[in-house]
Amino acid sequence: MIDEAQQAQDIKFMERAYQLAHQAQAINEIPVGAVLVAQGRIIAEGFNQSITLNDPSAHAEMITIREAGQVLANYRLLDCTLYVTLEPCPMCAGLLVHSRIKRLVYAAKDTKTGSAGSLLNLVNHQGLNHQVDVTQGIMADECSALLSAFFKRRRAEKKAEKKLK
């Protein structure tokens, strides 16, 4: 069970991840943002850039964790918490395990690729050498609405393009 102080901190950091998701949307990327926190402060942040960078691994989590490794000068991110607006995919969930992230806080569930409990649960697979503490649902409504609006707009744009052809 999360106490009130922890919940307030979770909301604070998820709000920053939500701002970063808007930055992704502004460049026509899927609106997902992430921040990594160590000792109560943000040490790294990122947002989806797969399309912009032509890099299928350029997810918000991947960018954030790469930056955090450089900041901490360590590939192990012990005692760190990752806040992300969408449940991590299998690639990113594997990265959380390998980087030894202590805690994951995510907003919206992803029933198609979510790997922190929705479709798969890689972050807590007992066969792996590390498990991640997971808190879900912080700002879920806001983050889900942002994603839904983005995909609704993209579908409408694709439909309009087909009509022009």
Side-chain angles (χ1 to χ4, degrees):
M1 188 73 187
I2 296 175
D3 64 28
E4 285 184 35
Q6 183 65 64
Q7 187 170 17
Q9 183 170 311
D10 288 350
I11 291 168
K12 171 186 155 184
F13 292 126
M14 190 61 75
E15 285 174 343
R16 178 59 185 151
Y18 183 66
Q19 291 170 352
L20 292 162
H22 280 278
Q23 288 183 339
Q25 180 175 256
I27 60 171
N28 212 28
E29 293 278 357
I30 296 171
V32 178
V35 298
L36 192 119
V37 173
Q39 298 177 346
R41 66 180 183 88
I42 295 173
I43 62 164
E45 58 184 34
F47 53 86
N48 275 5
Q49 296 180 58
S50 295
I51 298 165
T52 304
L53 298 176
N54 296 311
D55 179 354
S57 73
H59 290 193
E61 302 96 321
M62 186 74 70
I63 290 168
T64 302
I65 289 172
R66 284 177 180 155
E67 181 182 321
Q70 295 300 305
V71 169
L72 295 175
N74 196 334
Y75 70 106
R76 298 284 191 235
L77 304 177
L78 306 171
D79 297 320
C80 292
T81 300
L82 180 72
Y83 293 84
V84 64
T85 57
L86 180 64
E87 181 179 1
C89 71
M91 173 184 68
C92 293
L95 177 63
L96 296 179
V97 171
H98 284 292
S99 62
R100 306 297 193 272
I101 295 285
K102 181 177 185 176
R103 184 168 176 249
L104 165 67
V105 180
Y106 72 86
K109 288 185 176 188
D110 183 348
T111 57
K112 293 183 181 176
T113 66
S115 296
S118 290
L119 179 67
L120 304 170
N121 197 351
L122 290 178
V123 297
N124 282 303
H125 192 286
Q126 293 304 309
L128 298 176
N129 62 343
H130 178 74
Q131 286 76 43
V132 179
D133 295 332
V134 177
T135 301
Q136 64 183 38
I138 303 291
M139 293 183 60
D141 292 342
E142 298 92 325
C143 295
S144 293
L146 181 65
L147 286 156
S148 293
F150 174 82
F151 285 114
K152 183 178 181 181
R153 179 181 57 80
R154 289 250 310 244
R155 284 189 298 273
E157 288 170 355
K158 288 183 189 272
K159 188 175 182 180
E161 285 176 18
K162 285 182 180 179
K163 283 185 178 181
L164 293 175
K165 291 182 179 180

